[in-house]
């Protein structure tokens, strides 16, 4: 039976490399002791460049090889080493791996001195001058460096299951499990395969399930001749499965599929591999995406795996928190891991949460020389082999993001993906219209929207083959960078741009869906961003605090959402004109009050975004019945004056359209009103000039009950709102972290976007 040992503690680190550091007897006391995941250099929040982490560094780990490992297969695994790692075992270079985003292994079986100390050393090159993807030209994201994912050793019998790949065939009504195995059997033992399905409450492993495992169901027993012969072999077998629930975005049911290798004579279990697996049918078709034969519109965001200060080096809990934000807070059904594979802890959380994943090979626009291209093909192979058992992954990205056509290269990448995984389709993110299409899905970055035009282009205008599926993989982003401290109009327009794209994509029946750029802000190179080395493209900031645009997605979730685009402070706006105020909610209606007087009740049908179930709704009445109640106007006069005042409140007094001018003339002719009257009434009922403080209240109503309230009035106090993603830290494979999202808010919970005082945290 196999056992896994985590090697994430007690590493020594140096920010420079010397060959002497690889020797077993090197005195490493002066090196810094670190835990993995680790970054080669902690960075400032902003105003730094990539030179800070570009170095050749060294990691060392000393441990004792147990005697009980004698006669076993021993494999060392690095989950992520950015970006080119040469591994030394007791001073001898044993492998070099040239991709910072996929894992790699080292077979130590014949290199062990049992009962003695051993030293692992790693020469790690994080320079961006490497001739490997994504390097070679400028890149719109920082690439960092370090052993930023875990390291482990797995010990098993020498006769073992070297690889197990599961996929589903058949139909949603009659699914069939297909298993491909690779075995190592150096002694030619007479072995066979047994496969079991273990159902647990949430798809955890039997060891983690704490008694919730139900009775294992035997799927089948298989006796492939190939695996009985000495050496390495491959085999494939199928079995029908019944009474299982399909994995879906709304109910992501997972099962544990246990594949065992047994000795035919003793019936002893020689090796065992447990895989969390979801049975599902995912297919991009001409008219869209189908999950389990049901059409599903993909609504997602792109994600960078970076964090402030530590770059890529965050443990599983932080990765899982990001997935939970995407699914539970933003209500998304998909994520694209741009522009490289993300950690298994993140993808595993997507499996458990029901979040579809489009993952792709490393790269950004540049295609290098033949050696560079060969590495890109290897990256496809490593990505597919490593991640293909994750049910959440629905599409392989096999082109370099936004690169030019290269038919020879992309013929190889497509062939590699299809050969290693015939169950999934391929895509290749491009900014080119009508480009060569070797992939199964035309995946395109559509940045056509500028705030006033259509949110997306029709499929026929973009793809070179309208019979093939079409998916939008980026929109907005650099077209409208938005900071949490930008002025109110800017933040409002950011919200509306995301709503417009979502609305227009939803109106195109043959577009499978879209991924918005981007989930959260990120550090970048000097050629991009806002001069401070930050790309403010996210609907969240770098600390995962939401900008107003996040609400456009969050209405899809289960939480009650009520976002009002304005602080209602007139001094925030040019000429003290608030402009159009927008409400975003997933409630049945929103009642708007001014000083406890109802102005109007708004409903989803009032939104101009007709393709969205809960599109933004424009506030078009700041007067209500006030003129009848406060000025004793007759209904006709009140209606005319109200229309004049509301139009002026939204669009200003300049260039009034003929329809509004006619109403103004009517008020002057019939009711003998003057401009002085207009100014007085506007200031009293709309402008909020010179009077006592005004309180606007918005009540979100669902099923006849108020479920959320937003109050807008001048603040009197500042509070720090602190939202921890957990209160207990639990060490698993490595150290744990807690995310504390901190915002400055007023007494009503409204964000104070211009409050920029430092926050000090003093540990007890």
């Amino acid at each position: 039976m196999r056992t896994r040992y985590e090697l994430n503690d007690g590493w020594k680190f140096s920010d420079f490399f010397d060959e002497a550091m690889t020797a077993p007897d090197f005195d490493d006391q002066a090196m810094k002791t670190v835990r993995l995941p680790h970054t080669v250099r902690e960075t400032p929040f902003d105003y730094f460049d990539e030179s800070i982490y570009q170095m050749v560094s060294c990691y060392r780990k000393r441990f004792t090889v147990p005697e009980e490992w004698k006669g076993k297969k021993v494999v060392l695994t690095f989950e992520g080493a950015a970006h080119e790692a040469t591994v030394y075992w007791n001073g001898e270079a044993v492998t070099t791996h040239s991709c910072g985003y996929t894992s790699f292994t080292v077979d130590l079986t014949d290199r062990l001195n049992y009962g003695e100390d051993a030293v692992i050393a790693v020469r790690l090159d994080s320079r961006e001058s490497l001739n490997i993807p994504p390097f070679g030209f400028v890149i719109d994201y920082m690439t960092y460096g370090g052993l930023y994912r875990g390291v482990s050793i797995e010990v098993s019998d020498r006769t073992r299951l070297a690889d197990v790949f599961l996929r589903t065939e058949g139909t949603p009504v009659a699914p069939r499990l297909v298993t491909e195995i690779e075995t190592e059997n150096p002694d030619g033992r007479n072995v066979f395969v047994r496969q079991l399905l273990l159902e647990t409450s949430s798809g955890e492993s039997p060891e983690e399930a704490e008694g919730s495992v139900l009775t294992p169901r035997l799927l089948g027993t298989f006796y492939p001749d190939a695996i009985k012969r000495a050496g390495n072999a491959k085999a494939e077998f199928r079995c029908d499965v019944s009474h299982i629930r399909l994995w879906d975005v709304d109910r992501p049911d997972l099962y544990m599929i246990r594949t065992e290798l047994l000795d035919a004579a003793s019936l002893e279990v020689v090796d065992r591999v447990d895989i969390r697996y979801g049975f599902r049918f995912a297919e991009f078709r001409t008219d869209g995406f189908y999950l389990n034969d049901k059409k599903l519109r993909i609504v997602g965001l792109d994600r960078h795996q970076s964090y402030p200060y530590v770059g890529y080096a965050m443990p599983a809990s932080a990765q899982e928190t990001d997935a939970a934000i995407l699914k539970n807070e933003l209500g998304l059904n998909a994520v694209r891991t741009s522009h490289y594979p993300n950690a298994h802890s993140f993808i595993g959380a997507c499996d458990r949460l029901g979040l579809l994943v489009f993952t792709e090979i490393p790269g950004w626009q540049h295609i290098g020389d033949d050696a560079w291209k060969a590495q890109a093909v290897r990256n496809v192979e490593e990505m597919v082999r490593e991640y293909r058992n994750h049910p959440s992954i629905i599409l392989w990205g096999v082109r370099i993001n936004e690169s030019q056509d290269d038919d020879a290269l992309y013929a190889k990448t497509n062939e590699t993906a299809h050969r290693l995984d015939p169950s999934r389709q391929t895509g290749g993110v491009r900014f080119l219209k009508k480009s060569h299409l070797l992939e199964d899905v035309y995946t395109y970055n559509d940045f056509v929207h500028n705030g006033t035009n259509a949110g997306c282009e029709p499929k026929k205008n973009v793809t070179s083959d309208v019979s093939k599926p079409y998916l939008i993989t980026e929109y907005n982003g650099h077209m409208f960078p938005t900071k949490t401290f930008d002025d109110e109009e800017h933040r409002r327009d950011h919200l509306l741009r995301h709503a417009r794209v979502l609305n227009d994509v939803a109106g195109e029946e043959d577009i499978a869906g879209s991924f918005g750029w981007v989930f959260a802000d990120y550090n970048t190179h000097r050629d991009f961003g806002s001069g401070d080395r930050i790309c403010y493209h996210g609907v969240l900031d770098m600390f995962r605090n939401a900008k107003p645009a996040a609400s456009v997605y969050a209405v899809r979730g289960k939480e009650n959402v009520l976002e009002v685009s304005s602080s209602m402070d007139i001094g925030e706006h040019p000429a003290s004109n608030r402009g159009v105020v927008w409400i975003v909610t997933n409630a049945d209606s929103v009642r708007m009050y001014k000083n406890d007087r109802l102005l109007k009740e708004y409903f989803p049908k009032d939104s101009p975004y007709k393709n969205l179930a809960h599109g933004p709704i424009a506030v078009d009445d700041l007067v209500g019945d006030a003129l009848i109640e406060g000025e004793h106007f007759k209904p006709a006069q009140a209606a005319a004056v109200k229309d004049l005042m509301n139009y002026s409140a939204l669009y200003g007094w300049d260039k009034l359209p003929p329809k509004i001018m006619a109403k103004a003339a009517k008020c002057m002719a019939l009711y003998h009103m003057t401009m002085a009257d207009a100014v007085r009434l506007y200031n009293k009922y709309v402008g909020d000039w010179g009077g006592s403080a005004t309180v606007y209240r918005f009540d979100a109503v669902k099923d006849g009950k108020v479920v959320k309230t937003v109050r807008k009035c001048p603040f009197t106090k500042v509070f720090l709102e602190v939202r921890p993603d957990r209160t207990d830290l639990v060490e698993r494979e490595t150290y744990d972290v807690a995310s504390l999202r901190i915002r400055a808010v007023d007494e009503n919970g409204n964000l104070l976007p211009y409050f920029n005082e430092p926050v000090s945290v003093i540990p007890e």
Side-chain angles (χ1 to χ4, degrees), residues 710-729:
V710 169
R711 287 182 176 85
K712 300 285 187 176
C713 60
F715 87 97
T716 58
K717 294 181 181 179
V718 177
F719 297 88
L720 289 183
E721 176 192 87
V722 182
R723 296 175 58 196
D725 65 337
R726 58 181 53 79
T727 54
D728 294 323
L729 298 182

Side-chain angles (χ1 to χ4, degrees), residues 136-384:
F137 197 54
V138 294
I139 306 168
D140 172 33
Y141 52 94
M142 288 192 173
T143 56
Y144 306 102
L147 295 182
Y148 71 95
R149 296 177 186 162
V151 176
S152 62
I153 282 181
E154 193 168 70
V155 180
S156 66
D157 196 287
R158 289 181 182 241
T159 297
R160 69 180 194 128
L161 294 161
D163 188 56
V164 178
F165 169 39
L166 308 175
R167 67 178 193 269
T168 308
E169 289 184 352
T171 68
V173 176
R176 182 180 305 111
L177 179 64
V178 182
T179 304
E180 296 180 21
I181 63 170
E182 296 180 20
T183 58
E184 294 175 1
N185 191 2
D187 303 320
R189 293 175 66 175
N190 186 9
V191 291
F192 66 96
V193 175
R194 180 172 65 192
Q195 199 163 52
L196 304 168
L197 181 148
L198 293 84
E199 184 174 2
T200 66
S201 59
S202 57
E204 66 267 59
S205 71
E207 291 77 9
E208 297 169 326
E210 297 182 355
S212 65
V213 180
L214 304 180
T215 302
R217 291 161 52 186
L218 178 66
L219 295 177
T221 305
F222 310 95
Y223 301 85
D225 291 334
I227 68 173
K228 301 175 185 178
R229 295 189 289 269
N232 300 345
K234 296 182 180 180
E236 181 178 295
F237 40 88
R238 290 169 166 78
C239 58
D240 294 328
V241 287
S242 59
H243 306 295
I244 56 97
R245 298 177 300 276
L246 296 180
W247 185 94
D248 189 83
V249 293
D250 294 323
R251 182 170 176 172
D253 286 297
L254 293 171
Y255 298 86
M256 191 64 64
I257 305 298
R258 173 169 291 176
T259 305
E260 296 177 327
L261 197 63
L262 288 85
D263 184 280
S266 66
L267 300 184
E268 171 196 3
V269 177
V270 177
D271 194 16
R272 184 180 78 196
V273 172
D274 288 340
I275 296 173
R276 289 184 181 91
Y277 186 68
F279 296 90
R280 58 104 181 105
F281 296 84
E283 183 182 13
F284 289 87
R285 301 176 187 172
T286 301
D287 66 333
F289 174 71
Y290 287 77
L291 184 63
N292 303 325
D293 274 351
K294 297 177 182 177
K295 192 171 184 179
L296 175 69
R297 181 83 61 179
I298 290 173
V299 180
L301 290 169
D302 303 292
R303 178 197 186 236
H304 272 305
Q305 65 177 12
S306 57
Y307 298 83
Y309 311 119
V310 296
Y312 293 158
M314 272 291 194
S317 58
Q319 309 289 338
E320 293 162 355
T321 294
D322 269 9
I325 293 171
L326 285 158
K327 179 68 177 185
N328 298 331
E329 294 184 22
L330 296 177
L332 301 175
N333 60 26
V335 61
R336 169 178 166 235
T337 65
S338 48
H339 305 287
Y340 40 76
N342 286 190
H344 280 285
S345 51
F346 176 77
I347 307 297
C350 295
D351 293 340
R352 296 189 296 276
L353 291 167
L355 198 60
L356 304 170
V357 177
F358 170 24
T359 193
E360 59 189 344
I361 55 174
W364 203 80
Q365 297 187 347
H366 171 75
I367 298 177
D369 59 17
D370 288 345
W372 193 101
K373 293 178 183 179
Q375 181 61 50
V377 176
R378 281 193 292 273
N379 291 346
V380 174
E381 178 171 357
E382 291 179 354
M383 174 182 72
V384 174

Side-chain angles (χ1 to χ4, degrees), residues 540-560:
L540 310 181
D541 66 17
M542 286 175 65
F543 295 105
R544 280 49 174 176
N545 285 318
K547 302 173 189 178
S551 64
V552 175
Y553 298 93
V555 292
R556 298 171 46 84
K558 297 178 181 178
E559 297 298 317
N560 295 315

Side-chain angles (χ1 to χ4, degrees), residues 1 68-74 109 114 155-158:
M1 299 295 290
E68 55 266 30
W69 288 7
K70 191 174 294 184
K72 300 290 187 179
K73 176 85 170 187
V74 180
T109 304
Y114 304 102
V155 180
S156 66
D157 196 287
R158 289 181 182 241

